[in-house]
Amino acid sequence: MAKILIVDDSVVARMSLKSCLPKEAGHEITEGKDGAEGVALYQSFSPDVTFMDLTMPGMDGITALAEIRTIDPTARVIILTADIQRRTIERVTELGAFAVVKKPPVKEVVQAELDRALAAGAAS
Amino acid sequence: MHDELAELREAYALESAEMLAEVESALLTLESAPAIGDDFNRFFRAIHTIKGSSGIVGADQVESFCHALEHLLVRIREDGIPLSSDLVSLFLQCHDHIKTLVVFFEKGSTELPSRHSQLTALIANWQPLPPPDASSDAELPESDPSVTAEETVSGQSGAAQKVVRIDAQKLDQLINLVVELVTATSELESHIKRLSDSASLESASSVSLLVKKIQERAMVFRMVPVGDLFRRFQRLVHDLSAASGKKIQLATAGLETELDKVLAERLREPLVHLIRNAIDHGIELPSERQALGKPSTGLISMNAFQETGCIVIEVQDDGRGISRERVLRRAVERGLIRPFETADRDPLALIFEPGFSTMEEATMLSGRGVGMDVVKRTIEELRGKIEVRSTEGQGTTFQLRLPLSLALIDGFMVAVGSEYYILPMEQVDETIDLPPESSEELLQRGYLNIRGEALPCLDLRSITTPDTIPPLSRFAVVIRQEGRRVGLAVDQLVGEVKAVIKPLGRLYRDARIISGATILGDGAIALILDLPELLRLYGENCIASP
């Protein structure tokens, strides 16, 4: 069982991501609606893995990713985005994103990346 | 699993409605102030979210349409393409289209809305430069063909017109500098005149001539076609007539008439108010119109044209007109006039009185707590005039007369003592020589006998109190203010001037009768008189006397 934070302004996107996560694992899931909420929840909830959208009102995902990585340089943040511009991928990788998953999320990909992130966390 | 899908689709329905509302609200703000800023980003994000969620629930048509739109928005943002009102109206059409696409998806329809391929092609092939003959999407004056034609480097026949887009703010800065340059040059010229060096004087004159030409050209940059302003009202009329259950068509004319950019911006609100009023109070319901033998679709027309030194804008409707009897009754109810005064007042003028329209009687459409008095005040602040004509049962026309430019004034210059004053040319009726004895008569009685007409008269000397003694022979300028003729006694008549208006310094901040200043060729200052204010403050002195 792991603690997972999902940050996305879209209810639909959050619901669909949750449906990709294995229910039987009994993960504890918390959700945030924008970057600022994401950063605050990261500190109070201390998730093992964070799923982060990029385009959000107020603080966007890139800024939130940078802040979270400053607070916790070992933070494992998986970026979920419909924006698959090479530049964006380079930028979030530079900022220390653990992985980038294209929206709409596919169950197998999400689970594989989640397993990888959890394993990396256990190893560190 | 099925429950989860149903839940997801329910969330999608809610979210897309919410995002579309966000899109519309952002676009409506952009419509009045098109710029790449917070509202553009709001619009962008909402489209992006709709796209993402549509992909999740399998609304493929919505997803691909939003994707194409997003692609255009990225181009606009990254290439720094300025937002025009035409672009914003295209986006509003996209908004409506996405809404329809979502409905089709929810109904499980495999068909596509009629305009789908047309709109998709439009956003995929959208180009920032319209062909020269296309109706312009000008927000900036540069993209207006009539302006660019003048600025185009001619020579090669058939050469494509070159259009350069410039940020409106940068243009304003440039124009302000040009105005400063005009002033500085005339100062320089007057210094050089004193040196009596003919070679220097000659080059100074040619510099001054060039600067004046630059100024004339620069003023043209500030002009935009009124069509940019009028086009925005199509949607307003469309939406409001739908909301009120009335059928209304908006006809526009004189779209190519040019006016000052700032003026166009400031006119938006008053015009919105007039249109709302026409829809709400003017045009009748279709059934009512048919019973009266009128076509069931009401007509609102907006017309613009130039007339000697001013631009005229008319908003006309073929509705029920204004009932003079009701206006008088309401004015009495509101305490604006006393019952026995009803016979002497022009009922239509009363609708511009503060307090005539109130929140209680204001409806959803025109009721924002803004009355016609605010419209009138805004127009007057712009040195303009508003008049209303109405025939009961046939309709109402509001006529706005505005100066062509806010930066230039066509004036008539006079002198009192050693001071120069400028009167707005459109208010000057005639000038009269005052024989010495009439000056006495004037001071004592406040009116003049001009060819048998008892003309109320005001001595500018008594207001400005110069420390020189009055010359033996003086003059009067007859001005017209709200249909009334008033004489203004002055020491000297200087003549017609075209002056650049400069805002007043701290010194004159409290002088309400002065609306601005201009710097003359010799570096002297002339003050621009605010005649309505002057007569309001000092008018009784001359009216009460005879």
Side-chain angles (χ1 to χ4, degrees):
Chain A
M1 185 194 122
K3 283 160 90 176
I4 296 172
L5 172 62
I6 299 175
V7 186
D8 198 312
D9 59 323
S10 158
V11 184
V12 175
R14 292 199 303 267
M15 280 173 71
S16 83
L17 182 64
K18 276 190 287 181
S19 73
C20 291
L21 300 173
K23 281 179 191 50
E24 58 284 2
H27 295 310
E28 190 187 340
I29 300 169
T30 293
E31 301 172 35
K33 292 190 297 293
D34 57 44
E37 253 187 62
V39 174
L41 283 170
Y42 188 86
Q43 287 167 291
S44 58
F45 177 63
S46 314
D48 298 298
V49 175
T50 302
F51 286 95
M52 175 84 69
D53 178 32
L54 288 183
T55 315
M56 289 182 287
M59 186 192 287
D60 64 14
I62 292 192
T63 315
L65 166 67
E67 288 208 7
I68 289 173
R69 292 282 301 178
T70 312
I71 295 162
D72 175 7
T74 69
R76 289 169 300 282
V77 181
I78 297 172
I79 300 296
L80 270 140
T81 178
D83 171 9
I84 294 289
Q85 284 184 9
R86 180 172 294 279
R87 247 194 356 216
T88 312
I89 297 176
E90 278 170 12
R91 179 91 184 105
V92 296
T93 311
E94 238 172 64
L95 288 171
F98 184 80
V100 180
V101 172
K102 187 183 177 346
K103 271 188 186 177
V106 178
K107 199 172 213 154
E108 287 72 16
V109 179
V110 171
Q111 289 191 4
E113 292 297 356
L114 177 64
D115 290 343
R116 216 158 60 78
L118 289 174
S124 68
Chain B
M1 186 62 209
H2 270 290
D3 279 355
E4 208 169 83
L5 193 63
E7 222 178 274
L8 197 63
R9 287 185 63 154
E10 204 178 294
Y12 173 72
L14 282 173
E15 187 184 274
S16 54
E18 199 181 298
M19 288 298 135
L20 282 165
E22 173 85 351
V23 167
E24 183 158 58
S25 120
L27 287 177
L28 291 177
T29 320
L30 284 175
E31 196 174 30
S32 53
I36 311 275
D38 286 352
D39 289 303
F40 183 83
N41 292 336
R42 226 151 48 91
F43 168 42
F44 188 104
R45 270 199 309 270
I47 293 293
H48 184 84
T49 302
I50 296 171
K51 175 183 104 168
S53 300
S54 302
I56 290 164
V57 298
D60 297 349
Q61 295 298 346
V62 186
E63 188 195 16
S64 63
F65 187 81
C66 287
H67 181 76
L69 181 56
E70 193 185 353
H71 188 71
L72 173 59
L73 299 185
V74 169
R75 263 177 70 204
I76 287 170
R77 191 154 67 180
E78 298 197 341
D79 297 351
I81 297 167
L83 278 190
S84 61
S85 46
D86 272 15
L87 253 182
V88 176
S89 86
L90 172 65
F91 293 155
L92 279 166
Q93 290 175 47
C94 290
H95 160 269
D96 297 351
H97 186 66
I98 295 169
K99 213 170 185 168
T100 316
L101 283 173
V102 171
V103 171
F104 276 42
F105 166 73
E106 282 168 355
K107 285 196 302 201
S109 165
T110 48
E111 276 173 23
L112 285 170
S114 54
R115 296 198 59 205
H116 185 73
S117 50
Q118 190 196 342
L119 263 180
T120 309
L122 214 57
I123 56 175
N125 303 321
W126 189 86
Q127 287 305 322
L129 298 183
D133 59 334
S135 72
S136 164
D137 68 340
E139 187 56 38
L140 294 174
E142 286 69 36
S143 50
D144 170 39
S146 65
V147 176
T148 48
E150 212 177 293
E151 308 306 315
T152 305
V153 183
S154 56
Q156 295 139 315
S157 59
Q161 288 207 343
K162 287 178 185 161
V163 180
V164 182
R165 282 172 185 270
I166 306 170
D167 185 325
Q169 211 182 341
K170 287 182 188 162
L171 198 65
D172 280 345
Q173 289 165 354
L174 183 72
I175 291 169
N176 288 339
L177 284 175
V178 170
V179 171
E180 297 291 330
L181 183 63
V182 171
T183 320
T185 314
S186 45
E187 262 177 307
L188 179 70
E189 213 184 347
S190 64
H191 289 316
I192 289 175
K193 266 181 195 152
R194 275 180 232 132
L195 296 176
S196 41
D197 168 5
S198 63
S200 307
L201 192 58
E202 203 171 304
S203 22
S205 318
S206 50
V207 169
S208 153
L209 193 70
L210 286 172
V211 167
K212 286 211 176 83
K213 278 188 180 164
I214 292 175
Q215 188 205 328
E216 278 166 24
R217 292 288 173 94
M219 289 303 170
V220 173
F221 290 156
R222 282 176 67 115
M223 306 299 270
V224 292
V226 78
D228 290 1
L229 181 66
F230 282 5
R231 264 190 281 274
R232 301 175 180 180
F233 293 108
Q234 290 289 0
R235 190 181 178 94
L236 181 77
V237 170
H238 173 264
D239 290 0
L240 290 186
S241 53
S244 62
K246 295 173 180 175
K247 283 201 220 159
I248 304 169
Q249 195 199 338
L250 177 68
T252 52
L255 297 183
E256 68 294 339
T257 314
E258 294 195 321
L259 77 170
D260 196 290
K261 180 167 67 67
V262 181
L263 198 60
E265 282 156 14
R266 299 276 309 269
L267 277 177
R268 197 182 127 79
E269 279 224 346
L271 287 175
V272 166
H273 192 79
L274 292 180
I275 298 270
R276 282 173 175 267
N277 248 315
I279 296 173
D280 194 25
H281 304 300
I283 306 285
E284 309 90 336
L285 287 165
S287 54
E288 202 178 326
R289 289 181 65 90
Q290 269 166 345
L292 291 165
K294 288 178 171 185
S296 61
T297 301
L299 181 70
I300 296 179
S301 35
M302 297 182 83
N303 185 20
F305 54 92
Q306 264 193 29
E307 211 180 74
T308 53
C310 65
I311 174 165
V312 181
I313 294 178
E314 287 178 340
V315 177
Q316 190 170 14
D317 71 67
D318 69 347
R320 58 172 70 91
I322 300 172
S323 155
R324 285 164 172 75
E325 194 193 324
R326 279 185 53 201
V327 168
L328 285 175
R329 204 164 56 222
R330 187 177 313 167
V332 171
E333 275 166 30
R334 301 265 186 270
L336 299 174
I337 54 170
R338 279 163 287 180
F340 56 83
E341 284 181 315
T342 51
D344 342 318
R345 295 294 293 265
D346 172 13
L348 290 186
L350 287 168
I351 65 168
F352 296 114
E353 293 283 326
F356 182 79
S357 48
T358 64
M359 293 281 268
E360 293 90 74
E361 53 95 36
T363 68
M364 274 276 289
L365 291 186
S366 53
R368 291 267 173 102
V370 182
M372 292 300 291
D373 56 321
V374 178
V375 172
K376 186 177 191 220
R377 206 187 319 138
T378 310
I379 302 300
E380 283 178 349
E381 274 168 18
L382 298 168
R383 289 190 288 125
K385 269 193 289 198
I386 182 167
E387 273 168 19
V388 57
R389 295 190 300 270
S390 185
T391 310
E392 237 173 288
Q394 288 178 26
T396 304
T397 303
F398 284 95
Q399 191 184 62
L400 279 59
R401 292 180 161 269
L402 296 142
L404 283 180
S405 163
L406 292 179
L408 283 176
I409 184 170
D410 272 317
F412 189 81
M413 188 149 71
V414 298
V416 175
S418 54
E419 304 277 350
Y420 292 102
Y421 296 94
I422 292 175
L423 316 171
M425 197 64 206
E426 66 267 16
Q427 285 186 266
V428 174
D429 249 15
E430 60 174 321
T431 59
I432 305 162
D433 292 2
L434 292 181
E437 65 274 15
S438 69
S439 291
E440 287 302 308
E441 183 187 19
L442 174 75
L443 288 174
Q444 284 163 15
R445 304 209 291 201
Y447 76 98
L448 284 168
N449 183 348
I450 303 294
R451 298 183 298 265
E453 174 192 5
L455 184 74
C457 199
L458 195 61
D459 192 344
L460 210 48
R461 270 190 166 263
S462 66
I463 297 163
T464 61
T465 56
D467 46 14
T468 56
I469 55 156
L472 271 181
S473 57
R474 301 183 67 212
F475 304 87
V477 181
V478 181
I479 56 171
R480 190 175 283 280
Q481 171 68 28
E482 290 186 341
R484 202 171 81 189
R485 274 159 55 93
V486 177
L488 207 58
V490 299
D491 290 356
Q492 271 179 64
L493 302 176
V494 181
E496 276 185 50
V497 286
K498 207 182 201 52
V500 177
I501 302 169
K502 288 181 73 80
L504 286 169
R506 201 167 296 163
L507 192 59
Y508 296 100
R509 200 164 41 190
D510 298 327
R512 281 152 67 192
I513 60 163
I514 308 296
S515 63
T518 191
I519 296 176
L520 304 174
D522 61 359
I525 290 175
L527 299 172
I528 299 161
L529 288 178
D530 183 339
L531 293 180
E533 197 62 26
L534 181 85
L535 292 184
R536 215 179 56 75
L537 288 173
Y538 300 97
E540 305 83 43
N541 298 1
C542 61
I543 311 304
S545 300

